[in-house]
Amino acid sequence: MIRLFTAIAIPPQIGQGLLPRQGGIEGARWRPLEAFHITLRFVGDVAEDLAADLDEALAEITAPAFDLELASAGHFGEGADIHAVWAGVDESAPLRQLQKSHERAARTAGLKPESRLYTPHVTLAYLKRPSVPEVGAWLQASNLLRSPSFRVDRFGLYSSWQTREGSAYRLEREYLLDV
């Protein structure tokens, strides 16, 4: 079994702009620069043969390269159950289309449909029973977050595993978009 997801890696120069926002919430597990990404499709634990089928389906995706910007900030969960804070992604029709292509590829490979609403974001920290006022103050301070535009000309299939510091990721395969 291998734990997989598909994503767009955040360019280091864009990620550098997110690092100063990583503070102000006690106990937060801030993600390292190399872990910043925008998930397109979470796959989860799958057998190697299903992973190979997914790879084949992803390789069939054709989509144009496009530009993105990060904008705003948010969180997942409510009250004491807030479990992550994130940088948002400016609305993008090409991103939505690419995400739908990943959902179709996952179904072609035999995966169940994703039931959660797609919220494009870059996770900055994972939280466990955070101080709600601290999270509120962080959100207020980060609400006007905006990155420069960056080019998306590829996506990747990543594996994931747990370490003491949190999840670690490895790029298993990269797929180019049409330039």
Side-chain angles (χ1 to χ4, degrees):
M1 297 291 274
I2 184 170
R3 188 173 189 82
L4 298 173
F5 64 94
T6 66
I8 297 166
I10 298 300
Q13 67 274 20
I14 300 299
Q16 287 289 338
L18 297 174
L19 293 176
R21 297 188 182 276
Q22 291 187 308
I25 304 174
E26 190 170 333
R29 289 177 292 141
W30 299 103
R31 303 300 295 144
L33 177 66
E34 62 273 9
F36 290 164
H37 66 274
I38 301 165
T39 300
L40 293 165
R41 176 59 154 84
F42 178 73
V43 176
D45 295 319
V46 295
E48 297 285 338
D49 59 335
L50 185 62
D53 291 344
L54 178 61
D55 173 43
E56 284 182 27
L58 292 170
E60 295 296 317
I61 292 175
T62 57
F66 57 95
D67 294 327
L68 273 184
E69 292 179 20
L70 302 181
S72 76
H75 63 87
F76 289 123
E78 295 298 327
D81 292 326
I82 294 173
H83 57 273
V85 291
W86 43 261
V89 178
D90 216 9
E91 186 56 41
S92 166
L95 175 63
R96 295 269 177 198
Q97 287 300 97
L98 184 61
Q99 186 275 328
K100 287 178 183 174
S101 301
H102 282 240
E103 181 61 33
R104 282 191 300 275
R107 290 182 189 190
T108 297
L111 294 167
K112 292 181 180 176
E114 176 58 68
S115 60
R116 294 174 290 186
L117 180 67
Y118 182 62
T119 304
H121 67 281
V122 178
T123 300
L124 299 180
Y126 292 110
L127 312 173
K128 189 171 187 178
R129 298 217 172 275
S131 159
V132 174
E134 282 182 4
V135 174
W138 183 89
L139 288 168
Q140 187 171 16
S142 299
N143 192 28
L144 298 178
L145 178 152
R146 188 144 202 99
S147 79
S149 180
F150 60 96
R151 192 77 174 154
V152 176
D153 62 0
R154 65 195 67 219
F155 63 86
L157 177 62
Y158 292 83
S159 59
S160 170
W161 65 95
Q162 287 297 320
T163 71
R164 286 183 188 200
E165 293 77 38
S167 296
Y169 311 128
R170 180 175 56 231
L171 178 64
E172 298 293 339
R173 174 100 189 265
E174 190 168 64
Y175 312 85
L176 299 179
L177 297 176
D178 300 330
V179 281

